[in-house]
């Protein structure tokens, strides 16, 4: 399809599609002449993904490009590409301090979770634990482990949704699922709090 | 204690404490003369809470004030004040459309959750479900219910942490717990995804 057909199907202005091409976040089309190129379903799919990350995930385009670069790198295994897909930092994460980082390291060992030592989410978790403690509301081990169990239950569902036979598809679904279903989990937690709280205080 | 002692114990500049007083988010002290007032532990506690909401929760001061007004209103029951405490909107939530709103209503009925029809979190959840569907990645009922179960497990822990005999304390802990432990859950989900994904693709 032409670039205007692509823009049309993605419900985006052509100028936006051109901007994504220029910034490298959308791969170029198949050149048919010096000034023309055609695009296929993979471009449409990628546009959808970019849009999800930018609008729902509120990621900056530079962050999206970093994720896409990792995803597209053929030297990475599916698992490594998925690691990059999980990398997008949680907005508003405070800086972590050493005791909290050590606590997260210990937790990962105790739970037996295989997680990259460089994973950004370790720092996010350590930052959140450190901030709670500093404000006088430390998260104790029992609470932390209950949270980890719930997170694990959700992750089992998340990973089961990924196709096993299609690397690009698996990575894309992982990115989409991580970003799009985060507000689902967060809002369900608040609704559940209201319900449980009604039983106790209502 | 004096305002400068209060600022000192809260590790905040006096100017910030005065700003919180002027904007009504921090209740005034006990006047000892026309130009002097003393402050007690409740003021220090409130400052801590404001700081958590503003720095970790990234809430605007106007939102914090609305929460505090609801929390301080003696005509509300503990449960109602807790409802207001759970209200802070999730950052970046998209607008909800009617089908998604109806789906959330049905889910609440099916789960038997007692949740205010006006709860902001219903809209947040509907918005997240609507955005996923619109982007071509609908969240099916089975996935949604697995998420709801995990959210419920976490909420049981959250509510069990609230003191039963102290309304102000319960509301404050609810606000703190909702905001401070959100990044804990979100980052644990991502770490768990990486671990589960390692088992399947690593």
């Amino acid at each position: 399809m032409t670039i205007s057909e692509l823009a049309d199907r993605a419900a985006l202005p052509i100028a936006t599609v051109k901007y994504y091409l220029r910034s490298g976040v959308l791969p170029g089309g198949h050149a048919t002449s010096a000034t023309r190129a055609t695009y296929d379903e993979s471009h449409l799919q990628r546009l959808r993904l970019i849009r999800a990350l930018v609008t729902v995930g509120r990621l900056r385009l530079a962050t999206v490009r970093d994720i896409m670069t990792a995803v597209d790198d053929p030297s990475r295994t599916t698992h490594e590409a998925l690691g990059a897909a999980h990398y997008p930092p949680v907005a508003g994460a405070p800086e972590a301090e050493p005791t909290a980082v050590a606590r997260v390291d210990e937790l990962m060992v105790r739970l037996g979770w295989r997680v990259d030592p460089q994973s950004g989410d370790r720092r996010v978790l350590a930052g959140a634990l450190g901030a709670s403690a500093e404000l006088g509301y430390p998260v104790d081990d029992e609470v932390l482990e209950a949270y980890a169990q719930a997170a694990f239950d959700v992750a089992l569902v998340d990973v089961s949704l990924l196709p096993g036979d299609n690397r690009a598809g698996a990575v894309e679904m992982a990115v989409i699922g991580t970003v799009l279903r985060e507000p689902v989990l967060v809002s369900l937690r608040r609704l559940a709090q209201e319900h449980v709280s009604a039983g106790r205080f209502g």
Side-chain angles (χ1 to χ4, degrees), chain A:
Chain A
M1 66 190 108
T2 64
I3 190 167
S4 56
E5 285 164 342
L6 176 66
D8 202 50
R9 285 189 59 196
L12 288 171
I14 293 189
T16 303
V17 176
K18 285 185 175 167
Y19 175 60
Y20 290 164
L21 283 167
R22 272 200 312 276
S23 62
V25 73
L26 180 67
H30 316 283
T32 54
S33 79
T35 56
R36 286 181 163 271
T38 62
Y39 300 85
D40 59 29
E41 294 299 319
S42 73
H43 292 92
L44 183 59
Q45 191 75 349
R46 175 59 60 94
L47 273 179
R48 216 189 248 169
L49 179 58
I50 296 166
R51 207 169 143 234
L53 294 176
V54 171
T55 60
V56 183
R58 295 229 163 168
L59 298 183
R60 294 170 49 208
L61 208 58
T63 308
V64 174
R65 191 177 48 222
D66 291 346
I67 296 173
M68 295 304 146
T69 304
V71 163
D72 292 337
D73 180 352
S75 73
R76 299 196 187 212
T77 65
T78 301
H79 177 58
E80 285 167 346
L82 284 168
H86 291 155
Y87 191 78
V90 177
E95 296 262 316
E97 35 95 30
T99 5
V101 172
R103 190 166 174 220
V104 170
D105 291 346
E106 279 162 28
L107 179 70
M108 293 299 109
V109 170
R110 199 158 70 238
L111 294 171
W113 286 7
R114 286 196 278 162
V115 175
D116 190 327
Q118 297 306 316
S119 163
D121 297 311
R122 283 181 184 257
R123 287 195 301 279
V124 173
L125 177 56
L129 294 176
S132 292
E134 196 215 332
L135 290 161
Y137 302 90
V139 180
D140 72 26
D141 279 341
E142 206 181 333
V143 171
L144 191 56
E145 283 175 21
Y147 268 64
Q149 182 61 52
F152 180 77
D153 294 344
V154 165
L156 278 182
V157 175
D158 289 330
V159 175
S160 75
L161 295 173
L162 306 180
D165 54 352
N166 171 351
R167 177 196 142 117
V171 173
E172 182 181 306
M173 282 290 289
V175 174
I176 288 275
T178 297
V179 170
L180 288 189
R181 290 197 299 273
E182 208 153 83
V184 171
L185 182 60
V186 164
S187 55
L188 278 169
R189 170 181 172 236
R190 291 183 177 200
L191 290 165
Q193 283 174 337
E194 186 177 338
H195 166 63
V196 175
S197 179
R200 186 166 167 206
F201 298 99

